[in-house]
Amino acid sequence: MSSTQSERLRELLEPLVSSQGLDLEEIAVDAVGRKRVLRVVVDSDTGADLDRIADVSRALSAKLDETDAMGGGEYTLEVGTPGAERPLTEHRHYVRATGRLVSFRLTAGDELVARILRVDDEGLDLEVPGVKGRKATARRLAFGDIGRARVQVEFNRKDDKTDTNDATGATGANDKHDETEEEA
């Protein structure tokens, strides 16, 4: 997708996404055979459930139908959230990852895996897991020292806390909600 088309789509779609209480994280147009696929990735501090995704998808589809932003050919609109092992590129991503295990590649070339405890304007307070029976250690990491960061999937976290709070007081990423009991 050209930067002009990308910029035009972002300008068109971002206000609609924001009006739904979500952040527009990514836009991509890919060719799939003769058709094109417009992928829109959205997220928020509180997450995006299927109802919110459906609402924003309908709003984006209606807006795209009334404009020529995608040109005259056929295309498919896919709206979703970032994947489980999402890269962290914005300050808000780090805040949302509070309590999560993250793999860092530092600008000095070192690699580090640590849990984000707190986020402020300058950087992160981390807990580096102990190795071979050693205790975990605290570490401060400035944003300028981070080359790349990616959330890690944890399947068997032993100290899983369902009520972790980040520095803003928002509920953390480990909250669980069971919707199966809500059906009547």
Side-chain angles (χ1 to χ4, degrees), residues 34-178:
R34 294 182 184 202
K35 293 184 181 180
R36 292 171 298 149
V37 177
L38 171 58
R39 290 186 174 89
V40 178
V41 178
V42 298
D43 202 5
S44 79
D45 290 342
T46 58
D49 62 18
L50 290 177
D51 291 334
R52 290 178 80 186
I53 297 293
D55 290 344
V56 77
S57 181
R58 282 189 289 276
L60 296 178
S61 181
K63 187 61 148 181
L64 289 165
D65 287 348
E66 67 187 42
T67 68
D68 68 345
M70 288 298 294
E74 287 185 37
Y75 70 92
T76 301
L77 172 63
E78 294 181 2
V79 178
T81 58
E85 293 185 355
R86 72 189 71 175
L88 306 176
T89 57
E90 304 280 338
H91 184 273
R92 69 178 180 263
H93 299 162
Y94 291 97
V95 172
R96 291 175 187 159
T98 299
R100 303 286 306 270
L101 195 63
V102 175
S103 173
F104 297 93
R105 175 172 294 262
L106 306 180
T107 55
D110 298 336
E111 293 194 19
L112 171 69
V113 176
R115 188 168 313 283
I116 297 176
L117 300 177
R118 280 181 224 22
V119 180
D120 60 34
D121 291 340
E122 289 80 38
L124 313 169
D125 289 331
L126 305 173
E127 178 184 70
V128 181
V131 180
K132 297 182 181 179
R134 294 183 181 154
K135 289 185 176 184
T137 58
R139 179 165 179 182
R140 176 76 181 166
L141 188 59
F143 285 119
D145 294 335
I146 301 171
R148 185 186 75 216
R150 185 176 299 273
V151 172
Q152 300 296 292
V153 175
E154 294 181 85
F155 292 107
N156 58 355
R157 183 174 173 192
K158 291 184 172 126
D159 61 340
D160 189 15
K161 297 174 185 156
T162 58
D163 191 22
T164 59
N165 290 327
D166 66 19
T168 64
T171 304
N174 293 323
D175 287 353
K176 295 180 181 166
H177 181 68
D178 186 7

Side-chain angles (χ1 to χ4, degrees), residues 21-40:
L22 299 168
D23 295 316
L24 179 58
E25 297 292 348
E26 184 181 331
I27 296 176
V29 177
D30 299 313
V32 179
R34 294 182 184 202
K35 293 184 181 180
R36 292 171 298 149
V37 177
L38 171 58
R39 290 186 174 89
V40 178

